Amino acid sequence: MPHDAPRTPVVLVGGLHRTTNARIAYALLQPGTVVISHDLRDVASGRVTRIEHRMSPEGTDTIAIDDISLEHGCVSCTLRLDLLPMLRTLHHDSGVERIVVLLDPIVEPERLSAEIMATVVDVPASAGLGALPSGPASIDVFVESTLCGVDARSWLDDATGDITVTEAGMTGLDDERTVAQVAISQLRFADAIVIESADGLNDAFALMRLHAVVLRLAPGAGMRTLNSMQPLDRSIVHGALESIGDGTPNGRPMRPFDPLLAGSPSLDADCGVQLTSFEADRPFHPERLHDALDVLLDGVVQARGRMWLASDPDDVMWLESAGGALGISHVGTWIACVEDPASVDAEHRALASLRWHPEHGDRHSSITVLCHRADPMSIHDALREALVTDEELARGPAYITSLPSPFGHAHRDPCDDMDITTPEPTVADRPGRTEGDEA
């Protein structure tokens, strides 16, 4: 029977390793819980296998396995046409107190959370429940936490490579995202992390190095590390959830002006791993920046942050790299260029006021770089040399804004040469998203 309880909590479980994810999700199965999964390996053919495993409040297990046919075989169709309406329907089931969503390895939890919050879906009538009014799933559910499974033997190599998820055989879709982009996104959005097969690494130093990377990508996340002899059971998963610290996403997608060092990750070097921050209160010269981007594609786990380009003084540009892939997107407008600053989010205005400049307002560049082989000072030097010089600034705003630029509102590296066609402007709906990405 339908019920009018508060929104139902949803736990997202993701990661590159399908088996690890499943063990985490089913460790959370208890009375009043339902575990939902969509196997997307055949999504390109328009077919998705959905498994719904529920345990009633009395402790009775039931499993339903269905093949779903989609008119357009894609991840977005699966989410919008099946998963999101299902979340709303399950909220109105009095036997469901918590929903665990076991994600296919190609799904990024942050993007799903954004879909839950904002994507309007229709829910047709079903047994015992009439049609629900159109609206986002967040009317009925909320993302309580996100867990990420990590295979210690392969994760760091996956997170620093450059092959696409299609080339890796993870999907039959023509998906341009790299495995590294997916791996970094999954772990960075996690509130809790479970690392398996720690004894599969060559030595203790390799495990320490993996921990150094994970602790800088997700500094507040609760974490448990297991060797091959330790079972991944309920106590392990609950222990990870109970040790969550400050600054984790808790289901909230990142916004362009959120702190880049949320959770206060260490900036000290550890096992050759170091997180460094680059700040500048003058714009980048577009062509010199383009030439400098190679320093972020070798020996770097991730780089991300806001940029001020001389050729686009109104636009906030977002840079995000993972392993050997990098994207630049337009994500907003500087407050200094907004006609009505009062219309800007109060938290954003407060942060901007801390660094406001009488001439260029809140324009700035702020980039964090997580190195595992690269030299942080070399990266700082390359980015600093890509800024406009005093002599260029002295030639005035007309000259600065007329500088030729290889960037449009979305750019990918590596590219073939400098003579690329500037794409039509597109506004990304979240940091790091570029045209052609799967939802």
Side-chain angles (χ1 to χ4, degrees):
M1 292 293 292
H3 63 88
D4 298 318
R7 294 186 301 164
T8 303
V10 172
V11 177
L12 305 180
V13 180
L16 295 180
H17 200 266
R18 193 180 297 272
T19 304
T20 300
N21 300 344
R23 282 199 284 265
I24 294 172
Y26 282 99
L28 294 170
L29 185 63
Q30 59 190 41
T33 300
V34 57
V35 177
I36 307 169
S37 64
H38 289 79
D39 188 329
L40 301 176
R41 282 175 285 192
D42 293 327
V43 68
S45 66
R47 189 184 70 186
V48 172
T49 300
R50 181 185 69 204
I51 300 176
E52 177 185 345
H53 188 160
R54 66 167 66 201
M55 185 179 289
S56 72
E58 297 74 34
T60 302
D61 268 324
T62 58
I63 299 177
I65 302 176
D66 296 293
D67 279 339
I68 304 166
S69 296
L70 301 171
E71 183 176 348
H72 302 286
C74 68
V75 179
S76 294
C77 289
T78 305
L79 298 179
R80 293 169 183 165
L81 299 180
D82 194 74
L83 176 58
L84 297 183
M86 191 175 186
L87 293 179
R88 296 196 62 195
T89 300
L90 287 171
H91 165 73
H92 292 272
D93 188 325
S94 59
V96 175
E97 299 170 5
R98 181 173 62 170
I99 304 167
V100 177
V101 180
L102 170 56
L103 302 175
D104 189 274
I106 68 170
V107 175
E108 298 175 48
E110 184 174 12
R111 296 188 181 185
L112 174 57
S113 186
E115 295 267 14
I116 290 172
M117 291 174 63
T119 299
V120 175
V121 294
D122 295 315
V123 183
S126 58
L129 181 66
L132 298 177
S134 297
S138 56
I139 293 174
D140 297 316
V141 302
F142 70 98
V143 177
E144 179 181 55
S145 57
T146 301
L147 292 104
C148 180
V150 169
D151 186 331
R153 299 166 297 182
S154 57
W155 189 88
L156 189 54
D157 286 340
D158 289 333
T160 54
D162 59 6
I163 66 169
T164 68
V165 294
T166 302
E167 291 168 339
M170 295 170 62
T171 179
L173 298 168
D174 184 13
D175 194 329
E176 295 181 359
R177 293 175 303 157
T178 64
V179 176
Q181 287 174 309
V182 176
I184 295 293
S185 176
Q186 290 168 338
L187 189 133
R188 192 187 63 227
F189 196 65
D191 302 301
I193 298 164
V194 178
I195 301 174
E196 277 201 305
S197 302
D199 53 342
L201 293 170
N202 294 331
D203 49 44
F205 179 83
L207 180 59
M208 293 170 59
R209 192 161 174 259
L210 172 62
H211 279 153
V213 170
V214 170
L215 288 171
R216 285 156 179 77
L217 284 172
M223 186 165 66
R224 291 292 184 270
T225 301
L226 310 177
N227 63 39
S228 58
M229 301 300 292
Q230 295 173 287
L232 200 172
D233 56 21
R234 184 172 299 176
S235 65
I236 293 296
V237 176
H238 285 185
L241 288 170
E242 290 168 0
S243 61
I244 294 173
D246 296 328
T248 65
N250 288 125
R252 188 180 74 91
M254 183 181 175
R255 299 171 297 184
F257 286 93
D258 283 349
L260 295 175
L261 296 173
S264 302
S266 173
L267 299 180
D268 295 332
D270 184 8
C271 300
V273 175
Q274 185 170 1
L275 181 64
T276 186
S277 180
F278 175 84
E279 306 281 340
D281 287 322
R282 63 174 61 200
F284 280 111
H285 185 293
E287 290 181 325
R288 289 203 295 271
L289 174 63
H290 186 279
D291 292 341
L293 291 178
D294 283 348
V295 300
L296 302 178
L297 297 174
D298 186 18
V300 171
V301 179
Q302 184 191 47
R304 64 203 306 255
R306 299 173 289 270
M307 297 193 305
W308 171 19
L309 296 186
S311 56
D312 299 280
D314 293 353
D315 296 335
V316 182
M317 306 300 287
W318 179 267
L319 176 148
E320 187 157 338
S321 79
L326 180 150
I328 294 175
S329 306
H330 169 259
V331 290
T333 302
W334 300 110
I335 293 178
C337 310
V338 175
E339 290 186 9
D340 179 17
S343 65
V344 178
D345 176 79
E347 183 178 356
H348 179 185
R349 293 200 311 271
L351 290 172
S353 69
L354 297 176
R355 63 183 309 151
W356 195 267
H357 187 278
E359 182 178 350
H360 52 72
D362 60 325
R363 296 182 183 92
H364 70 282
S365 292
S366 182
I367 301 170
T368 59
V369 185
L370 179 57
C371 307
H372 72 300
R373 290 196 312 268
D375 174 28
M377 288 308 301
S378 297
I379 291 173
H380 273 258
D381 291 344
L383 293 177
R384 191 176 302 109
E385 290 172 5
L387 298 171
V388 297
T389 64
D390 289 338
E391 292 77 12
E392 289 166 336
L393 286 171
R395 298 182 66 172
Y399 169 77
I400 294 296
T401 57
S402 68
L403 289 171
S405 174
F407 305 108
H409 288 304
H411 181 72
R412 289 180 181 274
D413 252 339
C415 61
D416 295 332
D417 54 51
M418 288 291 294
D419 298 319
I420 63 175
T421 301
T422 300
E424 290 296 317
T426 57
V427 179
D429 60 7
R430 74 162 197 86
R433 183 166 185 172
T434 51
E435 290 182 304
D437 285 348
E438 281 292 327

